[in-house]
Amino acid sequence: MLYIIGLGLADERDITVKGLEAVKACERVYLEAYTSILMVDKQRLEAFYGKPVLVAHRETVESDSDEILRDADRVDVAFLVVGDPYGATTHTDLVLRARQRGISVKTIHNASIMNAVGATGLQLYNFGQTVSIVFFTDDWRPDSFYDRIAENARLGLHTLCLLDIKVREQSIENLMLGRQIFEPPRYMPASLAAQQLLEVEATRKTGICTEDALAVAVARVGSDDQLIRAGSLRQLADSDFGAPLHSLVLVGSRLHLLEADILRENAIDLDSLNAILKRNFDI
């Protein structure tokens, strides 16, 4: 059996009982380490599981899946994914490869940012399409995600923005020279995401992601030091929300009175938030 197991959001204790039982029964345990991260290292996982954990980077999963699937028709193998296996990303390619080889697959789900974002107080039914925001570079500033934000905005829906992480990235020079030297990991903060949204707005001029637009920064969801702060995009762009991982939510015009009340509890500055709610939402 190949088990695809969600780990939840924060640390080694977030795995479900069913997931932990499966891990303990597996001969090999792989940790997918490129779409998201837990807030603890693999040594903490190994101590909790009582099993060695093999880190599976992107190249392993995409180019060497045969090793992950080796003997999985005869023994149990676990593939661990931070959050839920089918939340922010999918691993359907690995599942399809397993089934093509006659390997049974079982998925064990868990919490992901896709549903835990409800901690903001914004109703999940009022969310539209989720978008991903990547790090801008000097010569690469993709903004196609903005079209999805605009579509959500036209329907009055909130937008969850998933923020870029860079793990085992190589510089152009090292890549060209074939050197296995990797840059330090980087995790986009909500403040930078807000800055990039304001930059795109300056070009698009749609009036959706203005400095006065209401947004919510979410940091370290599910951990003991989880942080949620609501304010204008300009306030978010100028704030520090601490250690990763971060997400950002753009608030849609269908904002309900109860949603607004919880945003007030998490306001960066209550007076300015009330002014935004009055001006933009008449609440």
Side-chain angles (χ1 to χ4, degrees):
M1 178 81 73
L2 172 67
Y3 288 94
I4 312 289
I5 302 173
L7 295 183
L9 292 163
D11 59 35
E12 73 277 12
R13 298 167 298 165
D14 284 345
I15 192 170
T16 64
V17 173
K18 185 183 292 186
L20 182 59
E21 289 174 346
V23 167
K24 287 182 176 294
C26 284
E27 183 168 299
R28 296 194 311 281
V29 179
Y30 294 92
L31 172 64
E32 186 263 89
Y34 60 91
T35 59
S36 189
I37 59 164
L38 284 178
M39 299 170 203
V40 295
D41 58 29
K42 84 178 185 78
Q43 285 74 25
R44 285 268 294 271
L45 299 183
E46 289 175 331
F48 190 70
Y49 301 157
K51 289 272 187 177
V53 173
L54 304 168
V55 175
H57 298 292
R58 184 185 298 274
E59 56 267 29
T60 305
V61 180
E62 294 180 352
S63 303
D64 197 20
S65 61
D66 287 348
E67 174 57 26
I68 295 174
L69 298 176
R70 176 175 51 84
D71 299 331
D73 55 338
R74 297 187 294 105
V75 301
D76 290 332
V77 175
F79 184 75
L80 311 181
V81 181
V82 176
D84 184 84
Y86 304 114
T89 186
T90 62
H91 294 288
T92 51
D93 182 63
L94 184 64
V95 171
L96 289 172
R97 288 172 185 262
R99 289 175 176 162
Q100 288 167 0
R101 295 172 60 160
I103 297 168
S104 298
V105 179
K106 183 177 180 61
T107 301
I108 300 176
H109 295 282
N110 209 319
S112 80
I113 188 60
M114 302 291 284
N115 62 309
V117 72
T120 59
L122 299 173
Q123 298 171 8
L124 294 180
Y125 287 143
N126 288 338
F127 277 79
Q129 303 168 86
T130 298
V131 304
S132 296
I133 300 178
V134 301
F135 283 105
F136 285 176
T137 66
D138 290 340
D139 54 3
W140 190 61
R141 310 179 91 73
D143 63 359
S144 59
F145 61 84
Y146 201 85
D147 297 325
R148 308 287 81 75
I149 293 173
E151 290 171 2
N152 289 344
R154 284 194 289 272
L155 296 172
L157 300 174
H158 313 313
T159 301
L160 170 60
C161 302
L162 305 178
L163 308 186
D164 199 7
I165 69 173
K166 297 291 188 185
V167 181
R168 282 175 63 87
E169 295 285 324
Q170 293 177 274
S171 67
I172 297 298
E173 179 183 1
N174 286 328
L175 189 63
M176 292 178 64
L177 294 175
R179 296 187 299 210
Q180 292 295 301
I181 300 173
F182 301 97
E183 301 295 297
R186 291 190 297 152
Y187 309 98
M188 181 181 287
S191 57
L192 180 57
Q195 293 166 24
Q196 292 188 181
L197 284 167
L198 291 172
E199 178 182 325
V200 176
E201 175 64 32
T203 302
R204 296 285 192 105
K205 297 183 177 11
T206 63
I208 295 171
C209 291
T210 63
E211 294 199 351
D212 194 39
L214 182 57
V216 186
V218 182
R220 300 173 300 282
V221 175
S223 71
D224 293 337
D225 64 343
Q226 171 179 298
L227 183 69
I228 299 172
R229 289 292 181 266
S232 69
L233 266 183
R234 172 45 59 196
Q235 287 176 317
L236 267 58
D238 295 336
S239 298
D240 181 0
F241 303 107
L245 293 172
H246 295 185
S247 300
L248 185 145
V249 179
L250 299 166
V251 179
S253 61
R254 288 189 188 181
L255 185 70
H256 189 275
L257 287 171
L258 291 177
E259 293 177 299
D261 285 343
I262 297 185
L263 292 182
R264 288 185 176 99
E265 292 185 358
N266 294 315
I268 293 175
D269 178 79
L270 184 56
D271 289 339
S272 64
L273 180 65
N274 279 328
I276 293 171
L277 290 171
K278 181 64 177 176
R279 184 166 55 250
N280 295 358
F281 303 91
D282 196 25
I283 295 177

